[in-house]
Amino acid sequence: RSLVCLRGAEGQVLVAAENQGATRAYELAAAGGRWYQPGAGAARLLLTHMDGHQSVKECYYGSGFLSQSSRNVWLAETVVEVEEVAFK
């Protein structure tokens, strides 16, 4: 089984597959936002939203289960600042 999130023209595309089943693709309906491509050394992103709260988004590398997806990150339209936190 596999689940991968890819960058689509206007949002995110999920691709799901099973060993003996069909591969399916789903385009997620987005209320608004933009793509952000983190730098090569970014381990995580510290996101600041319009209302002042902060959230963290991890950026994966490699060929493991969580690393099959693109490193591009979909940011909600409420995100006003992005700070990259480097690997240590």
Side-chain angles (χ1 to χ4, degrees):
R1 295 180 210 177
S2 179
L3 179 64
V4 178
C5 181
L6 301 173
R7 181 177 181 165
E10 296 182 16
Q12 300 178 68
V13 176
L14 292 178
V15 179
E18 294 184 68
N19 291 341
Q20 296 179 358
T23 299
R24 295 186 172 99
Y26 304 94
E27 187 169 3
L28 300 180
R34 66 187 188 281
W35 283 108
Y36 179 82
Q37 185 169 5
R44 65 187 62 85
L45 303 175
L46 179 60
L47 308 174
T48 304
H49 298 264
M50 284 185 214
D51 62 2
H53 88 273
Q54 294 183 323
S55 60
V56 176
K57 175 71 177 168
E58 293 187 10
C59 304
Y60 301 108
Y61 261 126
S63 58
F65 176 73
L66 293 174
S67 302
Q68 296 177 32
S69 300
S70 165
R71 277 183 52 90
N72 294 301
V73 177
W74 181 257
L75 300 178
E77 59 187 7
T78 60
V79 175
V80 294
E81 183 180 342
V82 179
E83 179 184 344
E84 294 186 6
V85 179
F87 290 100
K88 294 187 180 193

